[in-house]
Amino acid sequence: MRRMILNVAVALAVIGGMSLGAVPARADYAVWQDSKTGASLSYPDTWRSVASLQPDDLVTIAAPSKGEHAQCRLKARPERRYMVYPASLASAVQKRAVSQAFWDKYLAQYDNVSVSFLTEDGGFGRGHGSVSSASFTIAHPQTGMPRSGILAASLYRDYVYILECTVDPQAFEYWRPVFLGILKSIDMPKRAHESVGGDYADRKRMDFLFKDKTRNAYFSE
């Protein structure tokens, strides 16, 4: 499992109503990497890194201001409940960890929330996850400021990574291709074996973890 680019691209084609509209001019890209988690992303070099507002923000980047306030922020939240499971069940684990209930809780921080699209068969980087499109209002930098954007979450090892790219609703179609490019660029260091059976020195010693694949007992609660 390398990346979930195809599912994300299909999902975002639906999100955008299949109409790209005007596309921002091409630009060179800068690369950012987090020193703690190793997560990385690339973004147009005309964008800049700005102060993050919340403690779980890894990075917040913003486009040159034209009153639209296009920005993306990548977050990482520790998640140690799903540390041990067969690779074949990664998608099922994601649907338990990053589902509609996850987004209901996440979006509760905003007002006037309207979710126009949600798929639980997406993700980014090396993890499985979900992709959503939503509109809402926020209190910063302006009370009642309307926003529309793409939100994606990806579960990989002991973190849930969350990307939130938003802009003034009038400009969403214009910035959607850039948001998609940033989403597709995200990667994390490889920390899990991609094969279904894993790659253990002594497979027999690991059998106790996966005796009954019909139950959720192998999830590390």
Side-chain angles (χ1 to χ4, degrees):
M1 178 180 61
R2 180 66 177 87
R3 292 186 179 222
M4 309 295 292
I5 291 176
L6 180 59
N7 282 341
V8 170
V10 172
L12 292 176
V14 177
I15 288 173
M18 313 299 272
S19 175
L20 291 177
V23 178
R26 292 185 178 273
D28 292 329
Y29 280 78
V31 177
W32 168 91
Q33 185 170 35
D34 180 54
S35 60
K36 180 178 179 181
T37 65
S40 63
L41 58 76
S42 61
Y43 57 91
D45 66 355
T46 55
W47 287 43
R48 69 190 189 283
S49 177
V50 299
S52 295
L53 299 177
Q54 298 181 3
D56 57 356
D57 289 346
L58 297 181
V59 66
T60 302
I61 51 177
S65 180
K66 296 181 180 179
E68 300 164 348
H69 302 289
Q71 70 171 29
C72 294
R73 55 178 178 159
L74 180 64
K75 310 164 77 71
R77 295 182 173 177
E79 177 55 272
R80 301 186 62 83
R81 293 177 296 171
Y82 309 100
M83 292 288 291
V84 179
Y85 55 84
S88 60
L89 294 171
S91 179
V93 172
Q94 166 265 306
K95 287 180 173 62
R96 176 170 171 154
V98 188
S99 61
Q100 181 170 346
F102 171 89
W103 289 116
D104 289 344
K105 183 176 181 180
Y106 181 86
L107 290 168
Q109 65 184 301
Y110 302 125
D111 297 321
N112 305 314
V113 175
S114 175
V115 177
S116 58
F117 179 83
L118 173 66
T119 177
E120 295 185 353
D121 294 311
F124 56 80
R126 297 179 183 272
H128 289 263
S130 58
V131 181
S132 173
S133 180
S135 298
F136 45 82
T137 56
I138 61 176
H140 183 88
Q142 177 181 332
T143 301
M145 185 178 184
R147 308 291 286 172
S148 291
I150 295 165
L151 300 94
S154 187
L155 175 66
Y156 188 64
R157 294 295 293 164
D158 50 349
Y159 283 99
V160 172
Y161 296 89
I162 305 166
L163 180 72
E164 179 184 313
C165 290
T166 63
V167 69
D168 183 278
Q170 300 287 334
F172 175 64
E173 277 301 309
Y174 179 82
W175 286 105
R176 188 179 67 87
V178 177
F179 292 166
L180 174 58
I182 293 172
L183 176 60
K184 291 167 62 176
S185 77
I186 299 173
D187 197 12
M188 308 91 164
K190 180 177 177 179
R191 298 176 57 201
H193 201 282
E194 65 274 12
S195 71
V196 173
D199 187 20
Y200 308 114
D202 186 351
R203 293 280 298 279
K204 291 182 179 180
R205 295 183 63 186
M206 299 299 292
D207 286 346
F208 73 96
L209 293 174
F210 317 126
K211 283 182 178 179
D212 185 358
K213 294 186 179 181
T214 66
R215 300 176 59 195
N216 291 332
Y218 45 80
F219 293 152
S220 298
E221 297 286 12

